């Protein structure tokens, strides 16, 4: 007998206070983080403890996650690399290089718009779009 874990409720809870931006920027993840840190005065750092591991075709794929917690606020930023060795964290968004999740305190839509504009101003960034929960088929891949 096999049991299958239903993570749909967990995914809904995980995303209820989150905004997700999809970014097309064909540059190295560490270079992109450096540019984000300069522009936003953030300190994105890789967190190997929350790295996402997916197993497909009897192979493991690792997707790094960078994080930054805003001091004095209950607001965290997570930057996921969407592609590793030909596999995608969110296969429904193959064209995206990065996923930026903003999670925690309420963030206004104008603040999200300001963040998108600032990301667009970074060299190498071709597209920034907010992703709605309904469009994300593989939400559970983003849960750490």
């Amino acid at each position: 007998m096999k049991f299958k874990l239903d993570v749909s409720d967990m995914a809904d809870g995980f995303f209820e206070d989150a905004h997700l931006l999809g970014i097309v920027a064909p540059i190295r993840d560490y270079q992109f983080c450096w540019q984000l840190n300069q522009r936003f005065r953030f300190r994105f750092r890789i967190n190997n403890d929350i790295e996402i591991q997916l197993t497909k075709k009897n192979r493991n794929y690792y997707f790094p996650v960078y994080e930054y917690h805003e001091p004095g606020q209950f607001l965290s930023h997570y930057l996921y690399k969407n592609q590793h060795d030909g596999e995608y964290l969110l296969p429904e968004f193959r064209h995206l290089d990065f996923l930026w999740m903003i999670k925690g305190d309420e963030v206004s839509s104008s603040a999200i718009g300001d963040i998108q504009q600032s990301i667009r101003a970074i060299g190498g960034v071709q597209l920034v779009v907010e992703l709605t929960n309904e469009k994300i088929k593989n939400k559970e891949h983003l849960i750490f």
Side-chain angles (χ1 to χ4, degrees):
M1 177 187 278
K2 280 189 174 183
F3 293 100
K4 184 169 167 85
L5 182 62
D6 181 10
V7 294
S8 58
D9 288 342
M10 188 169 65
D12 291 341
F14 185 82
F15 287 101
E16 79 182 351
D17 62 351
H19 294 272
L20 190 63
L21 302 176
I23 302 166
V24 176
I27 53 181
R28 298 241 180 236
D29 49 348
Y30 60 87
Q31 291 172 322
F32 186 53
C33 276
W34 185 85
Q35 290 186 48
L36 291 174
N37 287 341
Q38 299 304 305
R39 178 159 298 275
F40 290 97
R41 305 254 186 272
F42 281 5
R43 296 192 65 208
F44 268 113
R45 297 284 181 257
I46 195 163
N47 183 342
N48 293 321
D49 293 337
I50 59 174
E51 174 180 74
I52 308 292
Q53 176 187 338
L54 295 180
T55 304
K56 293 183 178 183
K57 302 173 200 147
N58 294 324
R59 225 180 122 202
N60 292 330
Y61 295 89
Y62 300 93
F63 299 89
V65 180
Y66 295 79
E67 72 177 329
Y68 171 70
H69 301 285
E70 291 199 29
Q73 295 186 42
F74 187 64
L75 192 62
S76 299
H77 301 264
Y78 300 95
L79 186 73
Y80 301 78
K81 184 139 175 46
N82 191 39
Q83 196 261 5
H84 177 265
D85 207 18
E87 281 297 332
Y88 296 88
L89 190 56
L90 294 183
E92 63 270 31
F93 295 111
R94 292 174 179 267
H95 62 289
L96 298 176
D97 296 301
F98 298 99
L99 304 159
W100 181 341
M101 184 187 319
I102 303 166
K103 187 171 168 39
D105 283 343
E106 183 62 34
V107 180
S108 70
S109 55
S110 66
I112 296 295
D114 291 345
I115 290 171
Q116 287 178 277
Q117 283 301 109
S118 292
I119 297 169
R120 281 186 190 106
I122 294 174
V125 173
Q126 297 170 1
L127 175 75
V128 182
V129 63
E130 186 165 10
L131 305 175
T132 59
N133 280 346
E134 303 78 53
K135 291 182 182 174
I136 306 168
K137 292 181 191 142
N138 294 288
K139 281 185 217 170
E140 68 278 1
H141 291 180
L142 300 176
I143 298 174
F144 39 81

